[in-house]
Coordinates of all heavy atoms in Angstrom, one line a residue:
M1 N 38.7 2.6 146.5 CA 38.2 3.8 145.8 C 38.0 3.6 144.3 O 38.0 4.5 143.5 CB 39.1 5.0 146.0 CG 39.2 5.6 147.4 SD 40.1 7.0 147.3 CE 39.0 8.2 147.9
Q2 N 37.8 2.3 143.9 CA 37.6 2.1 142.5 C 36.2 2.6 142.1 O 35.3 2.6 142.9 CB 37.7 0.5 142.3 CG 39.1 0.1 142.0 CD 39.1 -1.4 141.6 OE1 38.5 -2.2 142.3 NE2 39.8 -1.7 140.5
G3 N 36.1 3.0 140.9 CA 34.8 3.5 140.4 C 34.6 5.0 140.7 O 33.7 5.5 140.1
Q4 N 35.4 5.6 141.5 CA 35.3 7.0 141.8 C 36.2 7.8 140.9 O 37.2 7.4 140.5 CB 35.6 7.3 143.2 CG 34.7 6.7 144.2 CD 35.0 7.1 145.7 OE1 36.1 7.7 145.9 NE2 34.2 6.8 146.6
P5 N 35.7 9.0 140.5 CA 36.6 9.8 139.6 C 37.8 10.3 140.4 O 37.8 10.3 141.6 CB 35.7 11.1 139.3 CG 34.7 11.1 140.4 CD 34.5 9.7 140.8
P6 N 38.9 10.6 139.6 CA 40.1 11.1 140.3 C 39.8 12.4 141.1 O 38.8 13.1 140.8 CB 41.0 11.5 139.1 CG 40.4 10.9 137.9 CD 39.0 10.6 138.2
R7 N 40.5 12.5 142.2 CA 40.3 13.7 143.1 C 40.4 15.0 142.3 O 41.3 15.2 141.5 CB 41.4 13.6 144.1 CG 41.1 14.5 145.3 CD 42.1 14.2 146.3 NE 41.9 15.2 147.4 CZ 42.7 15.4 148.4 NH1 43.7 14.6 148.5 NH2 42.4 16.3 149.3
G8 N 39.4 15.8 142.5 CA 39.4 17.1 141.9 C 38.6 17.1 140.5 O 38.3 18.1 139.9
A9 N 38.3 15.9 140.0 CA 37.6 15.8 138.7 C 36.2 16.4 138.8 O 35.8 17.0 137.8 CB 37.6 14.3 138.3
A10 N 35.5 16.2 139.9 CA 34.2 16.7 140.0 C 34.2 18.3 139.9 O 33.4 18.9 139.3 CB 33.5 16.3 141.3
T11 N 35.2 18.8 140.6 CA 35.4 20.3 140.5 C 35.6 20.8 139.1 O 35.1 21.8 138.7 CB 36.5 20.7 141.5 OG1 36.2 20.2 142.8 CG2 36.6 22.2 141.6
R12 N 36.5 20.1 138.4 CA 36.8 20.5 137.0 C 35.6 20.4 136.2 O 35.3 21.2 135.4 CB 37.9 19.6 136.5 CG 39.3 20.0 136.9 CD 40.4 19.3 136.1 NE 40.3 17.8 136.1 CZ 40.8 17.1 137.0 NH1 41.5 17.6 138.0 NH2 40.7 15.8 137.0
E13 N 34.8 19.3 136.3 CA 33.6 19.1 135.5 C 32.6 20.2 135.8 O 32.0 20.7 134.9 CB 33.0 17.7 135.8 CG 33.8 16.6 135.3 CD 33.3 15.2 135.8 OE1 32.3 15.2 136.4 OE2 34.0 14.2 135.4
A14 N 32.5 20.6 137.1 CA 31.5 21.6 137.5 C 32.0 22.9 136.8 O 31.1 23.7 136.3 CB 31.4 21.8 139.0
A15 N 33.2 23.2 136.8 CA 33.8 24.4 136.3 C 33.5 24.5 134.8 O 33.2 25.5 134.2 CB 35.2 24.6 136.6
E16 N 33.7 23.3 134.1 CA 33.5 23.2 132.7 C 32.0 23.4 132.3 O 31.7 24.0 131.3 CB 34.0 21.9 132.1 CG 35.5 21.8 132.2 CD 36.0 20.3 131.9 OE1 35.1 19.5 131.6 OE2 37.2 20.1 131.9
R17 N 31.1 23.0 133.2 CA 29.7 23.2 132.9 C 29.2 24.6 133.4 O 28.0 24.8 133.3 CB 28.9 22.1 133.7 CG 29.0 20.7 133.1 CD 28.0 19.8 133.8 NE 28.0 19.9 135.2 CZ 28.6 19.0 136.0 NH1 29.3 18.0 135.5 NH2 28.6 19.1 137.3
G18 N 30.1 25.4 133.8 CA 29.7 26.7 134.3 C 29.3 26.7 135.7 O 28.6 27.6 136.2
G19 N 29.8 25.8 136.4 CA 29.6 25.7 137.9 C 30.4 26.7 138.7 O 30.9 27.6 138.1
V20 N 30.4 26.5 139.9 CA 31.0 27.4 140.9 C 32.5 27.3 140.8 O 33.1 26.2 140.7 CB 30.6 27.1 142.3 CG1 31.2 28.1 143.3 CG2 29.0 27.2 142.4
N21 N 33.2 28.4 140.7 CA 34.7 28.5 140.8 C 35.1 28.0 142.1 O 34.7 28.5 143.1 CB 35.2 29.9 140.5 CG 36.7 30.0 140.5 OD1 37.4 29.1 140.8 ND2 37.1 31.2 140.1
P22 N 36.0 27.0 142.2 CA 36.4 26.5 143.5 C 37.2 27.5 144.4 O 37.3 27.3 145.6 CB 37.2 25.2 143.2 CG 37.7 25.4 141.8 CD 36.6 26.3 141.1
Q23 N 37.8 28.5 143.7 CA 38.6 29.5 144.5 C 38.2 30.9 143.9 O 39.1 31.5 143.3 CB 40.1 29.2 144.3 CG 40.5 27.9 144.9 CD 42.0 27.7 144.8 OE1 42.8 28.6 144.7 NE2 42.4 26.4 144.9
P24 N 37.0 31.3 144.2 CA 36.6 32.6 143.6 C 37.3 33.8 144.0 O 37.4 34.8 143.2 CB 35.1 32.7 144.0 CG 35.0 31.9 145.2 CD 36.0 30.8 145.1
R25 N 38.0 33.8 145.2 CA 38.6 35.0 145.6 C 40.1 34.9 145.6 O 40.8 35.7 146.2 CB 38.1 35.4 147.0 CG 36.6 35.6 147.0 CD 36.1 36.2 148.3 NE 36.9 37.4 148.7 CZ 36.5 38.6 148.5 NH1 35.3 38.9 147.9 NH2 37.2 39.6 148.9
N26 N 40.7 33.9 145.0 CA 42.1 33.7 145.0 C 42.7 34.2 143.6 O 42.5 33.6 142.6 CB 42.5 32.2 145.1 CG 43.9 31.9 145.1 OD1 44.7 32.8 144.9 ND2 44.3 30.7 145.3
P27 N 43.3 35.4 143.7 CA 43.8 36.0 142.5 C 45.0 35.2 141.8 O 45.3 35.4 140.6 CB 44.3 37.4 142.9 CG 44.5 37.3 144.4 CD 43.6 36.2 144.9
L28 N 45.5 34.2 142.5 CA 46.6 33.4 141.9 C 46.0 32.2 141.2 O 46.7 31.5 140.4 CB 47.6 33.0 143.0 CG 48.4 34.1 143.7 CD1 49.2 33.5 144.8 CD2 49.2 34.9 142.7
H29 N 44.8 31.9 141.4 CA 44.2 30.7 140.9 C 44.1 30.8 139.4 O 43.7 31.7 138.8 CB 42.7 30.5 141.4 CG 42.1 29.2 140.9 ND1 42.5 28.0 141.3 CD2 41.1 29.0 140.0 CE1 41.8 27.1 140.7 NE2 40.9 27.7 139.9
G30 N 44.7 29.7 138.7 CA 44.7 29.7 137.3 C 45.9 30.3 136.6 O 46.1 30.3 135.4
L31 N 46.7 31.0 137.4 CA 47.9 31.7 136.8 C 49.1 30.8 136.9 O 49.3 30.0 137.9 CB 48.3 33.0 137.6 CG 47.4 34.2 137.4 CD1 47.9 35.3 138.3 CD2 47.5 34.6 136.0
T32 N 49.9 30.8 135.9 CA 51.2 30.0 135.9 C 52.3 30.9 136.6 O 52.2 32.1 136.6 CB 51.6 29.7 134.5 OG1 51.9 30.9 133.8 CG2 50.6 28.8 133.8
L33 N 53.3 30.2 137.1 CA 54.4 30.9 137.6 C 55.1 31.8 136.6 O 55.5 32.9 136.8 CB 55.4 29.9 138.2 CG 56.6 30.5 139.0 CD1 56.1 31.4 140.1 CD2 57.5 29.4 139.5
E34 N 55.1 31.3 135.3 CA 55.7 32.1 134.2 C 54.9 33.4 134.0 O 55.5 34.5 133.9 CB 55.6 31.3 133.0 CG 56.2 32.0 131.8 CD 56.3 31.2 130.5 OE1 55.7 30.1 130.5 OE2 56.9 31.6 129.5
A35 N 53.6 33.4 134.1 CA 52.8 34.6 133.9 C 53.0 35.6 135.1 O 53.1 36.8 134.9 CB 51.3 34.2 133.9
I36 N 53.2 35.0 136.3 CA 53.5 35.9 137.4 C 54.8 36.6 137.3 O 55.0 37.8 137.5 CB 53.4 35.1 138.7 CG1 52.0 34.6 139.0 CG2 53.9 35.9 139.9 CD1 51.8 33.6 140.1
V37 N 55.9 35.8 137.0 CA 57.2 36.4 136.8 C 57.3 37.4 135.7 O 57.9 38.5 135.8 CB 58.3 35.2 136.6 CG1 59.6 35.8 136.2 CG2 58.4 34.4 137.9
T38 N 56.6 37.1 134.6 CA 56.6 38.0 133.4 C 55.9 39.3 133.8 O 56.4 40.4 133.5 CB 55.9 37.3 132.2 OG1 56.6 36.1 131.9 CG2 55.9 38.2 131.0
A39 N 54.8 39.2 134.5 CA 54.1 40.4 134.9 C 54.9 41.3 135.9 O 54.9 42.5 135.7 CB 52.7 40.0 135.6
L40 N 55.6 40.6 136.8 CA 56.4 41.4 137.7 C 57.6 42.0 137.0 O 57.9 43.2 137.3 CB 56.9 40.4 138.8 CG 55.9 40.0 139.9 CD1 56.5 38.9 140.8 CD2 55.4 41.2 140.7
A41 N 58.2 41.3 136.1 CA 59.4 41.9 135.4 C 58.9 43.0 134.5 O 59.6 44.0 134.4 CB 60.0 40.8 134.5
D42 N 57.7 42.9 133.9 CA 57.2 44.0 133.1 C 56.9 45.2 134.0 O 57.1 46.4 133.6 CB 55.9 43.6 132.4 CG 56.2 42.6 131.2 OD1 57.4 42.5 130.8 OD2 55.2 42.0 130.8
H43 N 56.3 45.0 135.1 CA 55.9 46.1 136.0 C 57.1 46.8 136.7 O 57.2 48.0 136.7 CB 54.9 45.5 137.1 CG 54.4 46.6 138.0 ND1 53.4 47.4 137.6 CD2 54.7 47.0 139.2 CE1 53.1 48.3 138.5 NE2 53.8 48.0 139.6
Y44 N 58.0 46.0 137.3 CA 59.1 46.5 138.1 C 60.4 46.6 137.3 O 61.3 47.3 137.7 CB 59.3 45.7 139.4 CG 58.2 45.8 140.4 CD1 57.4 44.6 140.6 CD2 57.9 46.9 141.1 CE1 56.4 44.7 141.5 CE2 56.9 47.0 142.0 CZ 56.1 45.8 142.2 OH 55.1 45.9 143.1
G45 N 60.5 45.8 136.3 CA 61.8 45.7 135.6 C 62.7 44.7 136.4 O 62.4 44.4 137.6
W46 N 63.7 44.1 135.7 CA 64.5 43.1 136.4 C 65.3 43.7 137.6 O 65.4 43.1 138.7 CB 65.5 42.4 135.5 CG 64.8 41.5 134.6 CD1 64.6 41.6 133.2 CD2 64.2 40.2 134.9 NE1 63.9 40.6 132.7 CE2 63.7 39.7 133.7 CE3 64.0 39.5 136.1 CZ2 63.0 38.5 133.6 CZ3 63.3 38.3 136.0 CH2 62.8 37.8 134.8
D47 N 65.7 45.0 137.4 CA 66.5 45.7 138.5 C 65.6 45.9 139.7 O 65.9 45.6 140.9 CB 67.0 47.0 138.0 CG 68.2 46.8 137.0 OD1 68.8 45.8 137.0 OD2 68.4 47.8 136.2
G48 N 64.3 46.4 139.5 CA 63.4 46.6 140.6 C 63.0 45.3 141.2 O 62.8 45.2 142.5
L49 N 62.8 44.3 140.4 CA 62.5 43.0 141.0 C 63.6 42.4 141.9 O 63.4 41.9 143.0 CB 62.2 42.0 139.8 CG 61.5 40.7 140.2 CD1 60.2 40.9 141.0 CD2 61.1 40.0 138.9
G50 N 64.9 42.6 141.4 CA 66.0 42.2 142.2 C 66.2 43.0 143.4 O 66.7 42.5 144.4
E51 N 65.8 44.2 143.5 CA 65.8 45.0 144.7 C 64.8 44.5 145.7 O 65.1 44.5 146.9 CB 65.6 46.5 144.4 CG 66.7 47.2 143.7 CD 66.4 48.6 143.3 OE1 65.3 49.1 143.7 OE2 67.1 49.2 142.5
R52 N 63.6 44.2 145.2 CA 62.6 43.8 146.1 C 62.7 42.4 146.6 O 62.4 42.0 147.7 CB 61.2 43.9 145.4 CG 60.8 45.4 145.3 CD 59.7 45.6 144.3 NE 59.3 46.9 144.2 CZ 59.9 47.9 143.5 NH1 60.9 47.6 142.8 NH2 59.4 49.1 143.4
I53 N 63.3 41.5 145.8 CA 63.5 40.1 146.2 C 65.0 39.8 145.7 O 65.2 39.5 144.6 CB 62.6 39.1 145.5 CG1 61.1 39.5 145.8 CG2 62.9 37.7 145.9 CD1 60.1 38.7 145.0
P54 N 65.9 40.0 146.7 CA 67.3 39.9 146.3 C 67.8 38.4 146.1 O 68.4 37.9 147.1 CB 68.0 40.6 147.4 CG 67.1 40.5 148.6 CD 65.7 40.4 148.0
V55 N 67.5 37.9 145.0 CA 68.0 36.5 144.7 C 68.8 36.6 143.4 O 68.5 37.5 142.5 CB 66.9 35.5 144.6 CG1 66.2 35.2 145.9 CG2 65.8 35.9 143.6
R56 N 69.7 35.7 143.2 CA 70.6 35.8 142.1 C 69.9 35.7 140.7 O 70.3 36.4 139.8 CB 71.6 34.6 142.2 CG 72.8 34.7 141.3 CD 73.9 33.8 141.7 NE 75.1 34.2 141.0 CZ 75.6 33.4 140.1 NH1 75.2 32.2 139.8 NH2 76.7 33.8 139.4
C57 N 68.8 34.9 140.6 CA 68.2 34.8 139.3 C 67.6 36.1 138.8 O 67.3 36.2 137.6 CB 67.1 33.7 139.4 SG 65.7 34.0 140.4
F58 N 67.3 37.1 139.7 CA 66.8 38.4 139.3 C 67.9 39.4 139.1 O 67.7 40.4 138.5 CB 65.8 38.9 140.3 CG 64.6 38.1 140.5 CD1 63.9 38.0 141.7 CD2 64.1 37.3 139.4 CE1 62.8 37.3 141.9 CE2 62.9 36.6 139.6 CZ 62.3 36.6 140.8
N59 N 69.1 39.2 139.7 CA 70.2 40.2 139.7 C 71.3 39.9 138.7 O 72.0 40.8 138.3 CB 70.7 40.3 141.1 CG 69.7 41.0 142.0 OD1 69.1 42.0 141.6 ND2 69.6 40.5 143.2
V60 N 71.6 38.6 138.4 CA 72.7 38.2 137.6 C 72.2 37.6 136.3 O 71.6 36.5 136.4 CB 73.7 37.3 138.3 CG1 74.8 36.9 137.4 CG2 74.2 37.9 139.6
D61 N 72.3 38.3 135.2 CA 71.8 37.8 133.9 C 70.4 37.2 134.0 O 70.1 36.0 133.7 CB 72.8 36.7 133.4 CG 72.6 36.4 131.9 OD1 72.1 37.3 131.2 OD2 72.9 35.3 131.5
P62 N 69.4 38.1 134.4 CA 68.1 37.6 134.6 C 67.3 37.2 133.4 O 67.5 37.8 132.3 CB 67.4 38.8 135.3 CG 68.1 39.9 134.8 CD 69.5 39.5 134.6
S63 N 66.5 36.1 133.5 CA 65.6 35.7 132.4 C 64.4 35.0 133.1 O 64.5 34.5 134.2 CB 66.3 34.8 131.4 OG 66.6 33.6 132.0
V64 N 63.4 34.9 132.3 CA 62.2 34.2 132.8 C 62.6 32.7 133.1 O 62.2 32.1 134.1 CB 61.0 34.3 131.9 CG1 59.8 33.4 132.3 CG2 60.6 35.8 131.8
G65 N 63.3 32.1 132.1 CA 63.6 30.7 132.2 C 64.5 30.4 133.5 O 64.2 29.4 134.2
S66 N 65.5 31.2 133.7 CA 66.4 30.9 134.9 C 65.6 31.2 136.2 O 65.7 30.4 137.2 CB 67.6 31.8 134.9 OG 67.3 33.1 135.0
S67 N 64.7 32.2 136.2 CA 63.9 32.4 137.3 C 63.0 31.3 137.6 O 62.8 30.9 138.8 CB 63.1 33.7 137.1 OG 64.0 34.8 136.9
L68 N 62.3 30.8 136.6 CA 61.4 29.7 136.8 C 62.1 28.4 137.4 O 61.6 27.8 138.3 CB 60.7 29.3 135.5 CG 59.7 30.3 134.9 CD1 59.2 29.9 133.6 CD2 58.6 30.6 135.9
R69 N 63.3 28.1 136.8 CA 64.0 27.0 137.3 C 64.3 27.1 138.8 O 64.1 26.2 139.6 CB 65.3 26.8 136.6 CG 65.1 26.1 135.2 CD 66.4 25.7 134.6 NE 67.2 26.9 134.2 CZ 67.1 27.6 133.1 NH1 66.1 27.3 132.2 NH2 67.9 28.6 132.9
F70 N 64.8 28.3 139.2 CA 65.1 28.6 140.6 C 63.8 28.5 141.5 O 63.8 27.9 142.5 CB 65.8 29.9 140.8 CG 66.0 30.3 142.2 CD1 67.0 29.7 142.9 CD2 65.3 31.3 142.8 CE1 67.3 30.0 144.3 CE2 65.5 31.6 144.1 CZ 66.5 31.0 144.8
L71 N 62.8 29.2 141.1 CA 61.6 29.4 141.9 C 60.9 28.0 142.1 O 60.3 27.8 143.1 CB 60.6 30.4 141.3 CG 61.2 31.8 141.3 CD1 60.3 32.7 140.5 CD2 61.4 32.3 142.7
R72 N 60.9 27.2 141.1 CA 60.3 25.9 141.2 C 61.0 25.0 142.2 O 60.3 24.1 142.8 CB 60.2 25.2 139.9 CG 59.2 25.8 139.0 CD 59.1 25.1 137.6 NE 58.1 25.8 136.8 CZ 58.2 26.1 135.5 NH1 59.4 25.8 134.9 NH2 57.3 26.7 134.8
K73 N 62.2 25.2 142.5 CA 63.0 24.4 143.4 C 63.1 25.1 144.8 O 63.6 24.4 145.8 CB 64.4 24.2 142.9 CG 64.5 23.4 141.6 CD 66.0 23.4 141.2 CE 66.1 22.7 139.8 NZ 67.4 22.7 139.3
T74 N 62.7 26.3 144.9 CA 62.9 27.1 146.2 C 61.6 27.7 146.7 O 61.2 28.8 146.3 CB 63.9 28.2 145.9 OG1 65.0 27.7 145.1 CG2 64.5 28.8 147.2
P75 N 60.9 26.9 147.5 CA 59.5 27.4 148.0 C 59.5 28.7 148.7 O 58.6 29.5 148.4 CB 59.1 26.3 149.0 CG 60.0 25.1 148.6 CD 61.2 25.6 148.1
W76 N 60.5 29.1 149.5 CA 60.5 30.4 150.2 C 60.6 31.5 149.2 O 59.9 32.5 149.3 CB 61.6 30.5 151.2 CG 63.0 30.4 150.7 CD1 63.8 29.3 150.6 CD2 63.8 31.5 150.1 NE1 65.0 29.7 150.0 CE2 65.0 31.0 149.7 CE3 63.5 32.9 149.9 CZ2 66.0 31.8 149.1 CZ3 64.5 33.7 149.3 CH2 65.7 33.1 148.9
A77 N 61.4 31.3 148.1 CA 61.5 32.4 147.1 C 60.2 32.5 146.3 O 59.7 33.6 145.9 CB 62.7 32.1 146.2
R78 N 59.6 31.4 146.0 CA 58.3 31.4 145.2 C 57.2 32.1 146.0 O 56.4 32.9 145.5 CB 57.9 30.0 144.9 CG 56.6 29.9 144.1 CD 56.2 28.5 143.8 NE 55.0 28.6 143.0 CZ 54.7 27.7 142.0 NH1 55.6 26.8 141.6 NH2 53.6 27.8 141.3
E79 N 57.2 31.9 147.4 CA 56.2 32.6 148.2 C 56.5 34.1 148.2 O 55.5 34.9 148.1 CB 56.3 32.1 149.7 CG 55.8 30.7 149.8 CD 56.0 30.1 151.3 OE1 56.2 31.0 152.2 OE2 55.9 28.9 151.4
K80 N 57.7 34.5 148.2 CA 58.0 35.9 148.1 C 57.5 36.5 146.8 O 57.0 37.6 146.7 CB 59.5 36.2 148.3 CG 60.0 36.0 149.7 CD 61.4 36.4 149.8 CE 61.9 36.3 151.2 NZ 61.5 37.4 152.1
V81 N 57.7 35.8 145.7 CA 57.3 36.2 144.4 C 55.8 36.3 144.3 O 55.2 37.3 143.8 CB 57.9 35.3 143.3 CG1 57.2 35.5 141.9 CG2 59.4 35.5 143.1
E82 N 55.1 35.3 144.8 CA 53.6 35.4 144.8 C 53.1 36.5 145.7 O 52.2 37.2 145.3 CB 53.1 34.0 145.3 CG 53.3 32.9 144.3 CD 52.9 31.5 144.8 OE1 52.7 31.4 146.0 OE2 52.8 30.6 144.0
S83 N 53.8 36.8 146.8 CA 53.4 37.9 147.7 C 53.6 39.2 147.0 O 52.7 40.1 147.1 CB 54.2 37.9 149.0 OG 53.8 36.7 149.8
L84 N 54.7 39.4 146.3 CA 55.0 40.6 145.6 C 54.0 40.8 144.5 O 53.5 41.9 144.2 CB 56.4 40.6 145.0 CG 56.8 41.9 144.3 CD1 56.7 43.1 145.2 CD2 58.2 41.7 143.7
Y85 N 53.6 39.7 143.8 CA 52.6 39.8 142.8 C 51.2 40.3 143.3 O 50.6 41.2 142.8 CB 52.4 38.5 142.1 CG 51.4 38.5 141.0 CD1 51.7 39.0 139.7 CD2 50.1 38.0 141.2 CE1 50.7 39.1 138.7 CE2 49.1 38.0 140.2 CZ 49.5 38.6 138.9 OH 48.5 38.6 137.9
L86 N 50.8 39.8 144.5 CA 49.6 40.2 145.1 C 49.7 41.7 145.5 O 48.7 42.4 145.4 CB 49.3 39.3 146.3 CG 48.9 37.9 146.0 CD1 48.8 37.1 147.3 CD2 47.7 37.8 145.2
F87 N 50.8 42.1 146.0 CA 51.1 43.5 146.4 C 50.9 44.4 145.2 O 50.3 45.4 145.2 CB 52.4 43.7 147.0 CG 52.8 45.1 147.4 CD1 52.2 45.7 148.5 CD2 53.6 45.8 146.5 CE1 52.5 47.0 148.8 CE2 53.9 47.1 146.8 CZ 53.4 47.7 148.0
M88 N 51.5 43.9 144.0 CA 51.4 44.7 142.8 C 50.0 44.8 142.3 O 49.6 45.9 141.9 CB 52.2 44.0 141.7 CG 52.2 44.7 140.3 SD 52.9 43.7 139.0 CE 51.5 42.5 138.7
L89 N 49.2 43.8 142.5 CA 47.8 43.9 142.1 C 47.0 44.9 143.0 O 46.2 45.7 142.5 CB 47.1 42.5 142.2 CG 47.5 41.4 141.2 CD1 46.7 40.1 141.5 CD2 47.3 41.9 139.8
R90 N 47.3 44.9 144.3 CA 46.7 45.8 145.2 C 47.1 47.3 144.8 O 46.3 48.2 144.8 CB 47.1 45.5 146.7 CG 46.3 44.3 147.2 CD 46.5 44.2 148.7 NE 47.9 44.1 149.1 CZ 48.6 43.0 149.3 NH1 48.0 41.9 149.0 NH2 49.8 43.0 149.7
E91 N 48.4 47.4 144.5 CA 48.9 48.7 144.1 C 48.2 49.3 142.9 O 47.8 50.4 142.8 CB 50.4 48.6 143.8 CG 51.3 49.6 144.5 CD 52.8 49.2 144.1 OE1 53.1 48.6 143.1 OE2 53.6 49.7 144.9
E92 N 48.1 48.4 141.9 CA 47.4 48.8 140.7 C 45.9 49.1 140.9 O 45.4 50.0 140.3 CB 47.5 47.7 139.6 CG 48.9 47.5 139.0 CD 49.0 46.3 138.1 OE1 48.1 45.5 138.0 OE2 50.0 46.3 137.3
R93 N 45.3 48.3 141.8 CA 43.9 48.6 142.1 C 43.7 50.0 142.7 O 42.8 50.7 142.4 CB 43.3 47.5 143.0 CG 42.0 46.9 142.5 CD 41.5 45.8 143.4 NE 42.3 44.6 143.2 CZ 42.8 43.8 144.1 NH1 42.6 44.1 145.4 NH2 43.5 42.8 143.8
R94 N 44.6 50.3 143.7 CA 44.5 51.6 144.4 C 44.8 52.7 143.4 O 44.2 53.8 143.5 CB 45.6 51.6 145.5 CG 45.2 50.9 146.7 CD 46.2 51.1 147.8 NE 46.0 50.1 148.8 CZ 47.0 49.3 149.2 NH1 48.2 49.4 148.7 NH2 46.8 48.3 150.0
A95 N 45.7 52.5 142.5 CA 46.1 53.6 141.5 C 44.9 53.8 140.6 O 44.6 54.9 140.1 CB 47.3 53.2 140.7
G96 N 44.2 52.8 140.3 CA 43.0 52.9 139.4 C 41.8 53.6 140.0 O 41.1 54.3 139.4
R97 N 41.7 53.5 141.3 CA 40.6 54.2 142.1 C 40.9 55.7 142.3 O 40.0 56.5 142.3 CB 40.5 53.6 143.4 CG 39.8 52.2 143.4 CD 39.6 51.7 144.8 NE 39.2 50.3 144.7 CZ 39.2 49.5 145.8 NH1 39.6 49.9 146.9 NH2 38.8 48.3 145.6
G98 N 42.2 56.0 142.5 CA 42.6 57.4 142.9 C 42.8 58.2 141.7 O 42.5 59.2 141.3

């Protein structure tokens, strides 16, 4: 595969030139885990977040840093956080319409 651009490079180049977004309907695309955790903590508060996803990093001395360390090592918890974020977005969209 010599001479070919690294995988995904063509997509990045197209996006930089104003090309098609490779994931136009994915609301998580381009968001960092830090942005997701911060948005959830702002929306629900640490207590509310700990009730919805009962993990220690949200219930005992919570912080964005400790949460990120845990979530990066724990795929099942990260999936729950991402799902809750998507639910929050749907909730906000519904509230905006009604």
Side-chain angles (χ1 to χ4, degrees):
M1 289 187 122
Q2 271 185 313
Q4 293 182 352
R7 196 170 170 186
T11 305
R12 280 193 303 274
E13 289 171 5
E16 290 170 1
R17 289 191 310 260
V20 179
N21 181 354
Q23 297 185 20
R25 299 189 54 98
N26 182 355
L28 297 176
H29 183 69
L31 284 178
T32 63
L33 185 57
E34 181 177 7
I36 293 170
V37 170
T38 302
L40 288 171
D42 289 345
H43 185 78
Y44 295 111
W46 288 110
D47 290 336
L49 194 51
E51 288 174 12
R52 287 166 178 81
I53 304 172
V55 292
R56 191 165 196 245
C57 67
F58 296 150
N59 290 314
V60 178
D61 195 25
S63 71
V64 173
S66 67
S67 300
L68 292 176
R69 280 190 296 277
F70 175 74
L71 294 171
R72 287 181 180 135
K73 296 176 186 176
T74 317
W76 63 264
R78 182 178 182 142
E79 287 176 20
K80 286 183 178 280
V81 166
E82 290 173 348
S83 293
L84 182 60
Y85 180 78
L86 294 174
F87 177 78
M88 180 190 77
L89 291 179
R90 285 191 302 271
E91 230 178 22
E92 288 177 345
R93 231 178 284 131
R94 282 188 201 122
R97 288 184 188 165

